[in-house]
Amino acid sequence: MSVAQDLPPATDIIFPPGDIYSDEPPLESDLHLRQIILLLQCLELWWQDRNDFYAAGNLTIYYSQRQLKSEEFRGPDFFVVRGCERRPRKSWVIWQEDGKYPNIVVELLSSSTKATDKGLKKQIYQDTFRTPEYFWFDPNNLEFTGFQLVYAQYQPIEPNPQGWLWSQQLELYLGVQNNQLRYFTPQGELLPTPEELAQQEKQRADEEKQRAEQETQRAEQEKQRAERLAAKLRELNIDPDVL
């Protein structure tokens, strides 16, 4: 969420290769924090077998052409970079990442940031980052809009009948459900959180256990029925074993 400020030349610092820490202010609200965590957890779970992406929230992106930390930096609320090594980072430094910029950015609107998110940041993501997809979402009033880069200009992404927006970069839909921004598969299935997945697996295990118990009960009932039939046949002087 930061805004870069140029400093006088005397204070410019050229950083050697190595970690550069993120420098982002606190998030606007608990809703913003929970939304970022939700986007991160669901995508990382969905792509758990992949090692060719990096996803982060509220992390500084340094992109100075002169490789200066003191100028040209931004802190998207959520972004994904494809085609890179999946490993922890303290910030995303363009000149240390083969010049890679985010493939997708999501900004979470608030009263203090929405003007910048819809104006200056959108312009930077379009003209400087050339990020293929840019979305914004307001956790308070649920405003949700997305853009796709077409011939160097952002064009609105048309929603499907459910109101979801397709992300070609993620090969997933993004849509609002239960007042939160969620991912959906091309088939329309909701991508679960780790907690939701655990609950689903528990429910499946409980259903399997119930089915097994029902099968055992049916087998016992069939056994009892067969025993009663055999007893009845013996009463009639009929040997059931030779039938």
PDB file of all heavy atoms in Angstrom, residues 159-187:
ATOM      1  N   PRO A 159     -18.211 -10.251 -16.628  1.00  0.00           N
ATOM      2  CA  PRO A 159     -18.576 -11.309 -15.677  1.00  0.00           C
ATOM      3  C   PRO A 159     -19.405 -12.402 -16.342  1.00  0.00           C
ATOM      4  O   PRO A 159     -20.086 -12.166 -17.347  1.00  0.00           O
ATOM      5  CB  PRO A 159     -19.413 -10.559 -14.632  1.00  0.00           C
ATOM      6  CG  PRO A 159     -19.975  -9.388 -15.365  1.00  0.00           C
ATOM      7  CD  PRO A 159     -18.930  -8.997 -16.372  1.00  0.00           C
ATOM      8  N   ASN A 160     -19.342 -13.593 -15.787  1.00  0.00           N
ATOM      9  CA  ASN A 160     -20.192 -14.682 -16.257  1.00  0.00           C
ATOM     10  C   ASN A 160     -21.570 -14.549 -15.580  1.00  0.00           C
ATOM     11  O   ASN A 160     -21.796 -13.613 -14.805  1.00  0.00           O
ATOM     12  CB  ASN A 160     -19.531 -16.045 -15.985  1.00  0.00           C
ATOM     13  CG  ASN A 160     -19.521 -16.408 -14.515  1.00  0.00           C
ATOM     14  OD1 ASN A 160     -19.941 -15.630 -13.654  1.00  0.00           O
ATOM     15  ND2 ASN A 160     -19.034 -17.591 -14.197  1.00  0.00           N
ATOM     16  N   PRO A 161     -22.515 -15.439 -15.857  1.00  0.00           N
ATOM     17  CA  PRO A 161     -23.855 -15.299 -15.258  1.00  0.00           C
ATOM     18  C   PRO A 161     -23.862 -15.278 -13.736  1.00  0.00           C
ATOM     19  O   PRO A 161     -24.772 -14.708 -13.130  1.00  0.00           O
ATOM     20  CB  PRO A 161     -24.600 -16.536 -15.801  1.00  0.00           C
ATOM     21  CG  PRO A 161     -23.944 -16.817 -17.111  1.00  0.00           C
ATOM     22  CD  PRO A 161     -22.497 -16.494 -16.898  1.00  0.00           C
ATOM     23  N   GLN A 162     -22.852 -15.882 -13.110  1.00  0.00           N
ATOM     24  CA  GLN A 162     -22.771 -15.861 -11.644  1.00  0.00           C
ATOM     25  C   GLN A 162     -22.125 -14.576 -11.111  1.00  0.00           C
ATOM     26  O   GLN A 162     -22.041 -14.377  -9.901  1.00  0.00           O
ATOM     27  CB  GLN A 162     -21.969 -17.074 -11.133  1.00  0.00           C
ATOM     28  CG  GLN A 162     -22.671 -18.413 -11.293  1.00  0.00           C
ATOM     29  CD  GLN A 162     -22.584 -18.940 -12.705  1.00  0.00           C
ATOM     30  OE1 GLN A 162     -21.681 -18.595 -13.471  1.00  0.00           O
ATOM     31  NE2 GLN A 162     -23.534 -19.787 -13.076  1.00  0.00           N
ATOM     32  N   GLY A 163     -21.642 -13.732 -12.041  1.00  0.00           N
ATOM     33  CA  GLY A 163     -20.966 -12.520 -11.618  1.00  0.00           C
ATOM     34  C   GLY A 163     -19.490 -12.715 -11.365  1.00  0.00           C
ATOM     35  O   GLY A 163     -18.805 -11.809 -10.874  1.00  0.00           O
ATOM     36  N   TRP A 164     -18.965 -13.889 -11.695  1.00  0.00           N
ATOM     37  CA  TRP A 164     -17.545 -14.176 -11.502  1.00  0.00           C
ATOM     38  C   TRP A 164     -16.745 -13.639 -12.678  1.00  0.00           C
ATOM     39  O   TRP A 164     -17.247 -13.502 -13.792  1.00  0.00           O
ATOM     40  CB  TRP A 164     -17.299 -15.681 -11.390  1.00  0.00           C
ATOM     41  CG  TRP A 164     -18.104 -16.376 -10.338  1.00  0.00           C
ATOM     42  CD1 TRP A 164     -18.748 -15.805  -9.265  1.00  0.00           C
ATOM     43  CD2 TRP A 164     -18.367 -17.781 -10.261  1.00  0.00           C
ATOM     44  NE1 TRP A 164     -19.391 -16.765  -8.531  1.00  0.00           N
ATOM     45  CE2 TRP A 164     -19.175 -17.989  -9.112  1.00  0.00           C
ATOM     46  CE3 TRP A 164     -18.004 -18.868 -11.038  1.00  0.00           C
ATOM     47  CZ2 TRP A 164     -19.612 -19.255  -8.735  1.00  0.00           C
ATOM     48  CZ3 TRP A 164     -18.439 -20.133 -10.665  1.00  0.00           C
ATOM     49  CH2 TRP A 164     -19.239 -20.313  -9.524  1.00  0.00           C
ATOM     50  N   LEU A 165     -15.450 -13.374 -12.416  1.00  0.00           N
ATOM     51  CA  LEU A 165     -14.545 -12.886 -13.452  1.00  0.00           C
ATOM     52  C   LEU A 165     -13.460 -13.934 -13.712  1.00  0.00           C
ATOM     53  O   LEU A 165     -12.832 -14.433 -12.779  1.00  0.00           O
ATOM     54  CB  LEU A 165     -13.899 -11.562 -13.019  1.00  0.00           C
ATOM     55  CG  LEU A 165     -14.864 -10.426 -12.658  1.00  0.00           C
ATOM     56  CD1 LEU A 165     -14.087  -9.173 -12.287  1.00  0.00           C
ATOM     57  CD2 LEU A 165     -15.837 -10.140 -13.797  1.00  0.00           C
ATOM     58  N   TRP A 166     -13.234 -14.228 -14.986  1.00  0.00           N
ATOM     59  CA  TRP A 166     -12.259 -15.250 -15.349  1.00  0.00           C
ATOM     60  C   TRP A 166     -10.855 -14.683 -15.319  1.00  0.00           C
ATOM     61  O   TRP A 166     -10.583 -13.631 -15.881  1.00  0.00           O
ATOM     62  CB  TRP A 166     -12.558 -15.799 -16.729  1.00  0.00           C
ATOM     63  CG  TRP A 166     -11.558 -16.796 -17.241  1.00  0.00           C
ATOM     64  CD1 TRP A 166     -10.662 -16.618 -18.253  1.00  0.00           C
ATOM     65  CD2 TRP A 166     -11.352 -18.125 -16.751  1.00  0.00           C
ATOM     66  NE1 TRP A 166      -9.910 -17.754 -18.427  1.00  0.00           N
ATOM     67  CE2 TRP A 166     -10.315 -18.703 -17.528  1.00  0.00           C
ATOM     68  CE3 TRP A 166     -11.943 -18.886 -15.743  1.00  0.00           C
ATOM     69  CZ2 TRP A 166      -9.863 -20.003 -17.311  1.00  0.00           C
ATOM     70  CZ3 TRP A 166     -11.484 -20.193 -15.537  1.00  0.00           C
ATOM     71  CH2 TRP A 166     -10.464 -20.731 -16.307  1.00  0.00           C
ATOM     72  N   SER A 167      -9.945 -15.409 -14.668  1.00  0.00           N
ATOM     73  CA  SER A 167      -8.525 -15.065 -14.669  1.00  0.00           C
ATOM     74  C   SER A 167      -7.789 -16.060 -15.549  1.00  0.00           C
ATOM     75  O   SER A 167      -7.649 -17.238 -15.177  1.00  0.00           O
ATOM     76  CB  SER A 167      -7.951 -15.095 -13.244  1.00  0.00           C
ATOM     77  OG  SER A 167      -6.527 -15.028 -13.294  1.00  0.00           O
ATOM     78  N   GLN A 168      -7.326 -15.589 -16.691  1.00  0.00           N
ATOM     79  CA  GLN A 168      -6.560 -16.451 -17.582  1.00  0.00           C
ATOM     80  C   GLN A 168      -5.227 -16.817 -16.955  1.00  0.00           C
ATOM     81  O   GLN A 168      -4.698 -17.909 -17.174  1.00  0.00           O
ATOM     82  CB  GLN A 168      -6.329 -15.744 -18.920  1.00  0.00           C
ATOM     83  CG  GLN A 168      -5.655 -16.607 -19.973  1.00  0.00           C
ATOM     84  CD  GLN A 168      -6.505 -17.786 -20.392  1.00  0.00           C
ATOM     85  OE1 GLN A 168      -7.701 -17.652 -20.612  1.00  0.00           O
ATOM     86  NE2 GLN A 168      -5.899 -18.956 -20.503  1.00  0.00           N
ATOM     87  N   GLN A 169      -4.673 -15.917 -16.165  1.00  0.00           N
ATOM     88  CA  GLN A 169      -3.378 -16.157 -15.530  1.00  0.00           C
ATOM     89  C   GLN A 169      -3.443 -17.281 -14.494  1.00  0.00           C
ATOM     90  O   GLN A 169      -2.502 -18.047 -14.332  1.00  0.00           O
ATOM     91  CB  GLN A 169      -2.871 -14.871 -14.867  1.00  0.00           C
ATOM     92  CG  GLN A 169      -2.610 -13.733 -15.831  1.00  0.00           C
ATOM     93  CD  GLN A 169      -1.542 -14.076 -16.849  1.00  0.00           C
ATOM     94  OE1 GLN A 169      -0.456 -14.530 -16.493  1.00  0.00           O
ATOM     95  NE2 GLN A 169      -1.846 -13.857 -18.132  1.00  0.00           N
ATOM     96  N   LEU A 170      -4.552 -17.370 -13.784  1.00  0.00           N
ATOM     97  CA  LEU A 170      -4.709 -18.407 -12.762  1.00  0.00           C
ATOM     98  C   LEU A 170      -5.487 -19.605 -13.278  1.00  0.00           C
ATOM     99  O   LEU A 170      -5.490 -20.661 -12.648  1.00  0.00           O
ATOM    100  CB  LEU A 170      -5.435 -17.835 -11.535  1.00  0.00           C
ATOM    101  CG  LEU A 170      -4.791 -16.642 -10.835  1.00  0.00           C
ATOM    102  CD1 LEU A 170      -5.644 -16.223  -9.648  1.00  0.00           C
ATOM    103  CD2 LEU A 170      -3.369 -16.964 -10.381  1.00  0.00           C
ATOM    104  N   GLU A 171      -6.154 -19.426 -14.425  1.00  0.00           N
ATOM    105  CA  GLU A 171      -7.068 -20.424 -14.971  1.00  0.00           C
ATOM    106  C   GLU A 171      -8.142 -20.781 -13.942  1.00  0.00           C
ATOM    107  O   GLU A 171      -8.497 -21.951 -13.729  1.00  0.00           O
ATOM    108  CB  GLU A 171      -6.306 -21.668 -15.436  1.00  0.00           C
ATOM    109  CG  GLU A 171      -5.325 -21.366 -16.569  1.00  0.00           C
ATOM    110  CD  GLU A 171      -4.629 -22.606 -17.094  1.00  0.00           C
ATOM    111  OE1 GLU A 171      -4.324 -23.512 -16.279  1.00  0.00           O
ATOM    112  OE2 GLU A 171      -4.384 -22.683 -18.306  1.00  0.00           O
ATOM    113  N   LEU A 172      -8.644 -19.732 -13.309  1.00  0.00           N
ATOM    114  CA  LEU A 172      -9.682 -19.849 -12.292  1.00  0.00           C
ATOM    115  C   LEU A 172     -10.609 -18.643 -12.406  1.00  0.00           C
ATOM    116  O   LEU A 172     -10.221 -17.598 -12.924  1.00  0.00           O
ATOM    117  CB  LEU A 172      -9.081 -19.867 -10.888  1.00  0.00           C
ATOM    118  CG  LEU A 172      -8.208 -21.055 -10.492  1.00  0.00           C
ATOM    119  CD1 LEU A 172      -7.486 -20.757  -9.187  1.00  0.00           C
ATOM    120  CD2 LEU A 172      -9.051 -22.326 -10.352  1.00  0.00           C
ATOM    121  N   TYR A 173     -11.822 -18.804 -11.896  1.00  0.00           N
ATOM    122  CA  TYR A 173     -12.708 -17.657 -11.723  1.00  0.00           C
ATOM    123  C   TYR A 173     -12.442 -17.026 -10.362  1.00  0.00           C
ATOM    124  O   TYR A 173     -12.057 -17.700  -9.395  1.00  0.00           O
ATOM    125  CB  TYR A 173     -14.175 -18.087 -11.771  1.00  0.00           C
ATOM    126  CG  TYR A 173     -14.708 -18.395 -13.137  1.00  0.00           C
ATOM    127  CD1 TYR A 173     -14.907 -19.720 -13.543  1.00  0.00           C
ATOM    128  CD2 TYR A 173     -15.053 -17.375 -14.027  1.00  0.00           C
ATOM    129  CE1 TYR A 173     -15.417 -20.010 -14.799  1.00  0.00           C
ATOM    130  CE2 TYR A 173     -15.567 -17.664 -15.287  1.00  0.00           C
ATOM    131  CZ  TYR A 173     -15.742 -18.981 -15.665  1.00  0.00           C
ATOM    132  OH  TYR A 173     -16.246 -19.257 -16.905  1.00  0.00           O
ATOM    133  N   LEU A 174     -12.661 -15.712 -10.273  1.00  0.00           N
ATOM    134  CA  LEU A 174     -12.727 -15.029  -8.999  1.00  0.00           C
ATOM    135  C   LEU A 174     -14.146 -14.487  -8.853  1.00  0.00           C
ATOM    136  O   LEU A 174     -14.700 -13.903  -9.801  1.00  0.00           O
ATOM    137  CB  LEU A 174     -11.728 -13.873  -8.900  1.00  0.00           C
ATOM    138  CG  LEU A 174     -10.264 -14.267  -8.703  1.00  0.00           C
ATOM    139  CD1 LEU A 174      -9.587 -14.418 -10.061  1.00  0.00           C
ATOM    140  CD2 LEU A 174      -9.527 -13.231  -7.879  1.00  0.00           C
ATOM    141  N   GLY A 175     -14.730 -14.696  -7.690  1.00  0.00           N
ATOM    142  CA  GLY A 175     -16.094 -14.247  -7.472  1.00  0.00           C
ATOM    143  C   GLY A 175     -16.378 -14.059  -6.002  1.00  0.00           C
ATOM    144  O   GLY A 175     -15.655 -14.571  -5.142  1.00  0.00           O
ATOM    145  N   VAL A 176     -17.432 -13.330  -5.713  1.00  0.00           N
ATOM    146  CA  VAL A 176     -17.788 -13.024  -4.329  1.00  0.00           C
ATOM    147  C   VAL A 176     -18.771 -14.071  -3.824  1.00  0.00           C
ATOM    148  O   VAL A 176     -19.803 -14.327  -4.452  1.00  0.00           O
ATOM    149  CB  VAL A 176     -18.411 -11.617  -4.223  1.00  0.00           C
ATOM    150  CG1 VAL A 176     -18.765 -11.306  -2.773  1.00  0.00           C
ATOM    151  CG2 VAL A 176     -17.443 -10.563  -4.763  1.00  0.00           C
ATOM    152  N   GLN A 177     -18.436 -14.669  -2.704  1.00  0.00           N
ATOM    153  CA  GLN A 177     -19.331 -15.618  -2.039  1.00  0.00           C
ATOM    154  C   GLN A 177     -19.231 -15.414  -0.539  1.00  0.00           C
ATOM    155  O   GLN A 177     -18.130 -15.367   0.021  1.00  0.00           O
ATOM    156  CB  GLN A 177     -18.979 -17.064  -2.401  1.00  0.00           C
ATOM    157  CG  GLN A 177     -19.847 -18.099  -1.679  1.00  0.00           C
ATOM    158  CD  GLN A 177     -19.767 -19.456  -2.305  1.00  0.00           C
ATOM    159  OE1 GLN A 177     -20.091 -19.652  -3.475  1.00  0.00           O
ATOM    160  NE2 GLN A 177     -19.336 -20.440  -1.532  1.00  0.00           N
ATOM    161  N   ASN A 178     -20.382 -15.297   0.109  1.00  0.00           N
ATOM    162  CA  ASN A 178     -20.432 -15.058   1.554  1.00  0.00           C
ATOM    163  C   ASN A 178     -19.570 -13.862   1.947  1.00  0.00           C
ATOM    164  O   ASN A 178     -18.807 -13.913   2.923  1.00  0.00           O
ATOM    165  CB  ASN A 178     -20.006 -16.308   2.325  1.00  0.00           C
ATOM    166  CG  ASN A 178     -20.950 -17.474   2.116  1.00  0.00           C
ATOM    167  OD1 ASN A 178     -22.141 -17.284   1.897  1.00  0.00           O
ATOM    168  ND2 ASN A 178     -20.421 -18.685   2.167  1.00  0.00           N
ATOM    169  N   ASN A 179     -19.671 -12.789   1.143  1.00  0.00           N
ATOM    170  CA  ASN A 179     -18.982 -11.513   1.418  1.00  0.00           C
ATOM    171  C   ASN A 179     -17.462 -11.608   1.326  1.00  0.00           C
ATOM    172  O   ASN A 179     -16.758 -10.738   1.853  1.00  0.00           O
ATOM    173  CB  ASN A 179     -19.379 -10.966   2.799  1.00  0.00           C
ATOM    174  CG  ASN A 179     -20.856 -10.677   2.901  1.00  0.00           C
ATOM    175  OD1 ASN A 179     -21.524 -10.431   1.904  1.00  0.00           O
ATOM    176  ND2 ASN A 179     -21.386 -10.702   4.114  1.00  0.00           N
ATOM    177  N   GLN A 180     -16.964 -12.633   0.664  1.00  0.00           N
ATOM    178  CA  GLN A 180     -15.519 -12.788   0.502  1.00  0.00           C
ATOM    179  C   GLN A 180     -15.191 -13.071  -0.957  1.00  0.00           C
ATOM    180  O   GLN A 180     -15.998 -13.648  -1.692  1.00  0.00           O
ATOM    181  CB  GLN A 180     -14.992 -13.937   1.371  1.00  0.00           C
ATOM    182  CG  GLN A 180     -15.110 -13.686   2.870  1.00  0.00           C
ATOM    183  CD  GLN A 180     -14.647 -14.895   3.665  1.00  0.00           C
ATOM    184  OE1 GLN A 180     -15.022 -16.029   3.386  1.00  0.00           O
ATOM    185  NE2 GLN A 180     -13.826 -14.643   4.673  1.00  0.00           N
ATOM    186  N   LEU A 181     -13.987 -12.674  -1.364  1.00  0.00           N
ATOM    187  CA  LEU A 181     -13.512 -12.961  -2.712  1.00  0.00           C
ATOM    188  C   LEU A 181     -12.905 -14.361  -2.720  1.00  0.00           C
ATOM    189  O   LEU A 181     -11.967 -14.642  -1.972  1.00  0.00           O
ATOM    190  CB  LEU A 181     -12.467 -11.927  -3.143  1.00  0.00           C
ATOM    191  CG  LEU A 181     -12.013 -11.970  -4.601  1.00  0.00           C
ATOM    192  CD1 LEU A 181     -13.189 -11.748  -5.540  1.00  0.00           C
ATOM    193  CD2 LEU A 181     -10.921 -10.929  -4.857  1.00  0.00           C
ATOM    194  N   ARG A 182     -13.482 -15.241  -3.570  1.00  0.00           N
ATOM    195  CA  ARG A 182     -13.050 -16.628  -3.598  1.00  0.00           C
ATOM    196  C   ARG A 182     -12.691 -17.046  -5.019  1.00  0.00           C
ATOM    197  O   ARG A 182     -13.035 -16.387  -5.998  1.00  0.00           O
ATOM    198  CB  ARG A 182     -14.169 -17.551  -3.084  1.00  0.00           C
ATOM    199  CG  ARG A 182     -14.645 -17.275  -1.657  1.00  0.00           C
ATOM    200  CD  ARG A 182     -13.569 -17.584  -0.624  1.00  0.00           C
ATOM    201  NE  ARG A 182     -13.163 -18.967  -0.658  1.00  0.00           N
ATOM    202  CZ  ARG A 182     -13.677 -19.911   0.142  1.00  0.00           C
ATOM    203  NH1 ARG A 182     -14.620 -19.595   1.017  1.00  0.00           N
ATOM    204  NH2 ARG A 182     -13.228 -21.161   0.087  1.00  0.00           N
ATOM    205  N   TYR A 183     -12.001 -18.199  -5.104  1.00  0.00           N
ATOM    206  CA  TYR A 183     -11.666 -18.794  -6.393  1.00  0.00           C
ATOM    207  C   TYR A 183     -12.670 -19.907  -6.721  1.00  0.00           C
ATOM    208  O   TYR A 183     -13.133 -20.622  -5.822  1.00  0.00           O
ATOM    209  CB  TYR A 183     -10.279 -19.434  -6.364  1.00  0.00           C
ATOM    210  CG  TYR A 183      -9.136 -18.544  -5.968  1.00  0.00           C
ATOM    211  CD1 TYR A 183      -8.535 -18.681  -4.720  1.00  0.00           C
ATOM    212  CD2 TYR A 183      -8.609 -17.600  -6.844  1.00  0.00           C
ATOM    213  CE1 TYR A 183      -7.455 -17.911  -4.345  1.00  0.00           C
ATOM    214  CE2 TYR A 183      -7.530 -16.816  -6.486  1.00  0.00           C
ATOM    215  CZ  TYR A 183      -6.958 -16.972  -5.228  1.00  0.00           C
ATOM    216  OH  TYR A 183      -5.886 -16.195  -4.868  1.00  0.00           O
ATOM    217  N   PHE A 184     -12.922 -20.068  -8.020  1.00  0.00           N
ATOM    218  CA  PHE A 184     -13.767 -21.153  -8.498  1.00  0.00           C
ATOM    219  C   PHE A 184     -13.095 -21.801  -9.696  1.00  0.00           C
ATOM    220  O   PHE A 184     -12.475 -21.118 -10.518  1.00  0.00           O
ATOM    221  CB  PHE A 184     -15.153 -20.636  -8.906  1.00  0.00           C
ATOM    222  CG  PHE A 184     -15.911 -19.974  -7.786  1.00  0.00           C
ATOM    223  CD1 PHE A 184     -15.718 -18.623  -7.510  1.00  0.00           C
ATOM    224  CD2 PHE A 184     -16.802 -20.697  -7.012  1.00  0.00           C
ATOM    225  CE1 PHE A 184     -16.408 -18.007  -6.478  1.00  0.00           C
ATOM    226  CE2 PHE A 184     -17.501 -20.086  -5.981  1.00  0.00           C
ATOM    227  CZ  PHE A 184     -17.308 -18.737  -5.714  1.00  0.00           C
ATOM    228  N   THR A 185     -13.226 -23.108  -9.816  1.00  0.00           N
ATOM    229  CA  THR A 185     -12.647 -23.831 -10.943  1.00  0.00           C
ATOM    230  C   THR A 185     -13.434 -23.506 -12.216  1.00  0.00           C
ATOM    231  O   THR A 185     -14.540 -22.962 -12.152  1.00  0.00           O
ATOM    232  CB  THR A 185     -12.696 -25.345 -10.703  1.00  0.00           C
ATOM    233  OG1 THR A 185     -14.071 -25.767 -10.731  1.00  0.00           O
ATOM    234  CG2 THR A 185     -12.059 -25.717  -9.369  1.00  0.00           C
ATOM    235  N   PRO A 186     -12.885 -23.865 -13.391  1.00  0.00           N
ATOM    236  CA  PRO A 186     -13.642 -23.662 -14.636  1.00  0.00           C
ATOM    237  C   PRO A 186     -14.986 -24.383 -14.616  1.00  0.00           C
ATOM    238  O   PRO A 186     -15.921 -23.982 -15.312  1.00  0.00           O
ATOM    239  CB  PRO A 186     -12.711 -24.242 -15.699  1.00  0.00           C
ATOM    240  CG  PRO A 186     -11.341 -24.093 -15.130  1.00  0.00           C
ATOM    241  CD  PRO A 186     -11.500 -24.323 -13.655  1.00  0.00           C
ATOM    242  N   GLN A 187     -15.109 -25.446 -13.806  1.00  0.00           N
ATOM    243  CA  GLN A 187     -16.360 -26.183 -13.701  1.00  0.00           C
ATOM    244  C   GLN A 187     -17.307 -25.580 -12.663  1.00  0.00           C
ATOM    245  O   GLN A 187     -18.416 -26.078 -12.459  1.00  0.00           O
ATOM    246  CB  GLN A 187     -16.080 -27.653 -13.332  1.00  0.00           C
ATOM    247  CG  GLN A 187     -15.344 -28.436 -14.400  1.00  0.00           C
ATOM    248  CD  GLN A 187     -13.863 -28.055 -14.496  1.00  0.00           C
ATOM    249  OE1 GLN A 187     -13.229 -27.763 -13.474  1.00  0.00           O
ATOM    250  NE2 GLN A 187     -13.311 -28.062 -15.708  1.00  0.00           N
TER     251      GLN A 187
END
